[in-house]
Amino acid sequence: IDEYMGLQIDSKNPEMFMTQLDGTWIDKLDFMKFDFLGLRTLTIIKNALNLIKERHNVDLNVNDLPEDDKKTFELFGRGETIGVFQFESPPMQQHLRDLQPENLEDICFLAAAYRPGPMKFIPDYIKCKHGEKEPEYIIPELEPILQKTYGYPIYQEQLFAICRDLGGFSLGEGDVIRNALKKKQIEILDAKRPDFVKYFLENFDYGEEIALKVWDNLTPFSDYGFNKAHSASYAVVAYWCAYLKAHYPLEFMAALMHSDLENLERIAIDIREAKRMGYQLRPPDINRSNVYFTTEGIDSIRFGLGAIKGVGIKVCEEIVQEREENGPYKNIDDLVDRLTTSKISKKVVENLAKAGALSKFGEANAILEAVPMIFSKVSKSQHAAKIGQTTLFSMATDANDGMVSETPLPNVEPVSEKEKLKWEKDLLNVYLSSHPLEEYEHALLSNELTTLSKAKSMPEGKKIKTIVMFSSIKTTHTKKDSKPMALLQVEDLDTRVEGVMFPRAYAKHVEDLEENKPYLMSGSTNFRNDNLNLIVEDLENPASFQGTTSKEILIDICNETDQENLKILRHTITSNPGKFTLRIKYGNPLSSKEIIKTINPTRDVMEVLGNYQ
């Protein structure tokens, strides 16, 4: 191969060679180019299947799942597709609710059509499926080819079939036409059109005008023409995800969190979805956690020890294996002694304590204070035992079981809530016990505020106001006159973006700038390489915000018949009491009744209630 093209070594895999030519040149040299696509979704599915096996002793094979599972298509129909491959975006969720898919063909269509170009056909496809519109075909011979998409040309395979059945071309020639349409190669299309028209006139009694109309109908494929084999594969993977979420939701969500742990935005979305589904997220625990996320009871997901930064998977495996073989750890001394000081370090124990995994043994600051003393004592005891000496050190064990005696924890000031949250974010990548912005969450119900996720889709230079905090503040200087300014990591409850504070704003707020502190921020949108980079212009105390949020929420559940949805709604209402009035309309739509509750309208709550407003 190196006689025909330049090669390079893959930076991630030294044994892998890659071409230095692009696909067009590869094709001209008569070579075939392969793109290998790795899907994290397949790992999520594998991990979910492992959890299902552990919890239910069920060996599921996704290739054997029924293709007409009612519960799975009901989940699609409700648009509850967070974690479902290719179907997570809000517009896609709305299309699912409108379509009410009944089979894999519907899922396959949406996977292909939800793209620039064919997206315009989705509303009409939905109308045709529900009998609100009749499919249209230029000639009856097109119906067998376009029937499954109700007359709308979506797939490349449909283009090939039209070229073959109506134009007399081979499938290979059909692919040449597809490629020419895609690359706007007019000379190739001009050369093929007479052959198409000639065959059409010889075999069909419609005339040249219709022949040219059928040919011109191929032109839209230049804008999209998605490969159905590709779309069908995506649809099947999406169906697997939806099946697992519908039948084994706890295991699926645990596997999803495992995969998304390093992604701040994704893990925040996963946690919100788990809470919406009525599940609790439990902190890591030295005697309960495994290496990765696990299910616990009927409604909880337990953080894995491996999710704690600075601990390491190998150490976590040692911790879990030792616990399974010899029972739960009794205290910090017992943990260090059983793992031995050669397998576990002071830093690991400190990170376990900061992440909350050792909370059963005492207060975190007290544990941190005692760690050096414990390691010193255990190290000396183990050394004495190794050389067979009976010394004061080796006698520092419990006479009954031979374990090192427990070191009394010192009486120190407990860790502050602010420091505890910082540790959680640093070591777990999420705020687990609470979030610094949660008390201001209701303010985002006001039309005067936006969210960072919404700001991402706003135009350049749009003025916004929102409640955020800065997870990172780095001072730098302008190139022109060396004035100080700040580069920021800006976060709200579920999104993180880059931000910048120019010299004038920085000079005004520098004395008040603090990481992880809530602010009412005013600024404007700016984009670099299609990524939002907020220009922070002003900061205020968020408590000063007096938005025009309503103190009353009305929902109508008269048409809700799904018992699972009603359970989720009931759990949401009962577990989130607050000061807002919630009016619930229920019963028969023609003679409904009303009940009044109170609720705290957090974003998670509003996502559930929003289905009935």
Side-chain angles (χ1 to χ4, degrees):
I1 296 176
D2 60 4
E3 294 179 6
Y4 293 86
M5 70 187 77
L7 299 177
Q8 62 184 355
I9 296 174
D10 185 358
S11 60
K12 295 181 180 179
N13 183 357
E15 297 180 1
M16 177 77 75
F17 287 95
M18 298 166 60
T19 172
Q20 292 185 12
L21 301 180
D22 64 21
T24 302
W25 282 100
I26 294 290
D27 189 48
K28 288 180 178 179
L29 290 169
D30 286 335
F31 282 87
M32 181 174 284
K33 178 178 72 76
F34 290 88
D35 291 328
F36 293 93
L37 177 64
L39 295 182
R40 56 181 277 280
T41 301
L42 299 180
T43 303
I44 294 170
I45 290 171
K46 180 191 73 173
N47 291 338
L49 294 177
N50 290 339
L51 287 172
I52 292 166
K53 171 65 176 175
E54 291 174 12
R55 182 179 168 88
H56 303 285
N57 198 28
V58 173
D59 281 308
L60 271 187
N61 185 332
V62 289
N63 293 298
D64 297 332
L65 298 180
E67 295 181 1
D68 58 352
D69 182 68
K70 182 181 177 183
K71 207 169 179 181
T72 301
F73 283 108
E74 285 176 347
L75 183 141
F76 274 121
R78 294 192 300 271
E80 295 176 358
T81 48
I82 295 298
V84 175
F85 180 60
Q86 293 280 301
F87 287 84
E88 292 189 276
S89 71
M92 181 65 95
Q93 291 174 330
Q94 187 57 53
H95 287 319
L96 287 168
R97 286 190 282 267
D98 293 339
L99 177 62
Q100 293 296 304
E102 299 174 314
N103 49 54
L104 278 172
E105 192 71 49
D106 288 336
I107 302 301
C108 183
F109 167 81
L110 279 180
Y114 188 67
R115 299 167 194 282
M119 194 179 291
K120 63 187 177 187
F121 296 141
I122 294 176
D124 286 329
Y125 178 99
I126 292 172
K127 288 178 182 177
C128 289
K129 179 175 175 62
H130 295 321
E132 300 169 7
K133 184 181 183 200
E134 287 296 320
E136 297 176 3
Y137 306 98
I138 298 174
I139 57 176
E141 285 78 3
L142 280 172
E143 184 172 351
I145 299 172
L146 301 177
Q147 185 178 36
K148 289 190 174 182
T149 54
Y150 296 107
Y152 301 106
I154 301 296
Y155 305 119
Q156 290 176 8
E157 287 85 348
Q158 291 173 322
L159 169 66
F160 300 156
I162 293 171
C163 290
R164 179 193 62 194
D165 297 351
L166 304 184
F169 294 113
S170 68
L171 292 177
E173 289 174 310
D175 192 47
V176 170
I177 293 172
R178 175 202 64 78
N179 195 50
L181 284 166
K182 178 183 177 183
K183 297 181 179 179
K184 306 291 191 295
Q185 295 171 330
I186 305 300
E187 67 282 359
I188 295 177
L189 297 174
D190 286 345
K192 295 290 184 182
R193 182 172 56 235
D195 294 336
F196 182 93
V197 173
K198 182 175 182 295
Y199 180 89
F200 187 91
L201 293 176
E202 290 174 351
N203 290 274
F204 304 98
D205 190 23
Y206 291 112
E208 186 174 355
E209 183 180 347
I210 295 298
L212 289 172
K213 189 174 181 180
V214 173
W215 172 262
D216 290 340
N217 201 46
L218 303 180
T219 304
F221 279 101
S222 63
D223 294 329
Y224 40 90
F226 202 72
N227 181 281
K228 188 175 184 181
H230 192 102
S231 180
S233 300
Y234 275 11
V236 169
V237 174
Y239 182 85
W240 291 344
C241 291
Y243 183 95
L244 294 174
K245 189 175 183 182
H247 290 271
Y248 300 95
L250 195 60
E251 291 77 10
F252 180 78
M253 292 307 297
L256 188 63
M257 290 180 185
H258 175 184
S259 177
D260 290 339
L261 189 62
E262 294 302 315
N263 187 321
L264 172 70
E265 293 190 27
R266 282 294 332 174
I267 196 68
I269 291 170
D270 297 343
I271 291 173
R272 286 212 322 274
E273 177 69 356
K275 288 180 178 178
R276 183 197 67 78
M277 295 166 70
Y279 298 137
Q280 304 294 320
L281 192 60
R282 306 291 184 188
D285 186 296
I286 197 70
N287 282 328
R288 291 176 178 265
S289 295
N290 286 340
V291 178
Y292 301 107
F293 283 91
T294 52
T295 58
E296 193 170 292
I298 61 172
D299 66 351
S300 299
I301 296 172
R302 176 71 67 176
F303 250 86
L305 297 175
I308 305 173
K309 293 179 182 177
V311 174
I313 298 298
K314 185 171 174 42
V315 174
C316 293
E317 290 173 345
E318 296 271 6
I319 291 172
V320 173
Q321 182 179 346
E322 168 62 26
R323 187 185 71 206
E324 289 176 348
E325 292 176 356
N326 298 301
Y329 299 103
K330 297 178 180 179
N331 48 59
I332 310 296
D333 301 78
D334 185 30
L335 171 68
V336 175
D337 184 47
R338 287 165 60 180
L339 267 296
T340 77
T341 55
S342 63
K343 292 181 179 179
I344 193 169
S345 67
K346 294 177 186 177
K347 187 64 177 177
V348 166
V349 176
E350 288 170 354
N351 286 348
L352 288 169
K354 289 179 178 180
L358 306 179
S359 60
K360 298 290 172 59
F361 300 152
E363 197 277 326
N365 264 351
I367 292 174
L368 294 177
E369 187 77 19
V371 163
M373 186 192 321
I374 292 171
F375 265 81
S376 176
K377 183 178 76 173
V378 171
S379 179
K380 291 175 181 176
S381 174
Q382 290 177 349
H383 177 71
K386 185 177 181 180
I387 63 175
Q389 292 180 344
T390 302
T391 68
L392 292 174
F393 304 124
S394 61
M395 290 172 61
T397 59
D398 190 300
N400 295 322
D401 56 17
M403 302 301 292
V404 173
S405 60
E406 181 178 0
T407 301
L409 297 181
N411 186 15
V412 298
E413 185 175 345
V415 63
S416 67
E417 187 64 21
K418 183 178 180 180
E419 185 71 6
K420 180 183 176 184
L421 290 178
K422 185 178 184 303
W423 287 347
E424 287 181 355
K425 187 65 181 296
D426 290 345
L427 295 171
L428 301 177
N429 208 33
V430 295
Y431 292 107
L432 195 56
S433 54
S434 62
H435 194 288
L437 300 180
E438 275 183 359
E439 63 178 297
Y440 306 106
E441 193 170 16
H442 71 281
L444 291 172
L445 299 174
S446 169
N447 292 330
E448 298 169 42
L449 299 184
T450 186
T451 61
L452 294 181
S453 62
K454 289 181 180 178
K456 285 183 173 183
S457 58
M458 290 179 173
E460 178 87 16
K462 177 71 174 179
K463 297 288 186 182
I464 68 166
K465 180 176 283 190
T466 188
I467 295 178
V468 298
M469 63 185 189
F470 306 130
S471 55
S472 172
I473 303 171
K474 293 183 179 179
T475 302
T476 184
H477 294 81
T478 58
K479 292 182 180 178
K480 183 179 180 181
D481 45 20
S482 197
K483 288 186 178 180
M485 57 179 285
L487 301 178
L488 310 164
Q489 288 277 348
V490 188
E491 291 186 20
D492 62 10
L493 284 159
D494 55 21
T495 304
R496 175 192 289 169
V497 301
E498 300 294 325
V500 60
M501 185 179 284
F502 290 121
R504 182 180 296 180
Y506 181 77
K508 179 180 177 182
H509 297 290
V510 62
E511 297 299 326
D512 183 51
L513 275 183
E514 187 178 329
E515 291 185 357
N516 303 313
K517 176 181 177 180
Y519 294 98
L520 175 63
M521 184 212 77
S522 299
S524 57
T525 59
N526 179 49
F527 292 89
R528 290 183 180 177
N529 300 321
D530 295 327
N531 295 317
L532 178 62
N533 190 293
L534 277 177
I535 297 175
V536 180
E537 297 165 355
D538 198 17
L539 300 174
E540 300 175 60
N541 186 332
S544 66
F545 178 69
Q546 298 295 326
T548 55
T549 53
S550 171
K551 290 291 184 180
E552 181 174 288
I553 302 167
L554 173 66
I555 63 172
D556 185 342
I557 63 172
C558 292
N559 295 314
E560 179 60 84
T561 58
D562 190 297
Q563 291 299 311
E564 191 64 30
N565 284 347
L566 290 171
K567 285 181 183 177
I568 292 171
L569 180 62
R570 187 182 302 113
H571 174 81
T572 300
I573 295 171
T574 56
S575 59
N576 291 278
K579 297 180 180 179
F580 280 62
T581 299
L582 175 64
R583 305 172 72 91
I584 307 171
K585 190 177 178 182
Y586 69 98
N588 189 307
L590 299 177
S591 58
S592 62
K593 299 178 182 179
E594 192 175 276
I595 186 172
I596 296 177
K597 299 284 186 179
T598 60
I599 199 161
N600 178 27
T602 66
R603 189 175 307 177
D604 297 331
V605 168
M606 292 306 295
E607 284 191 2
V608 177
L609 300 185
N611 295 322
Y612 306 100
Q613 286 185 291

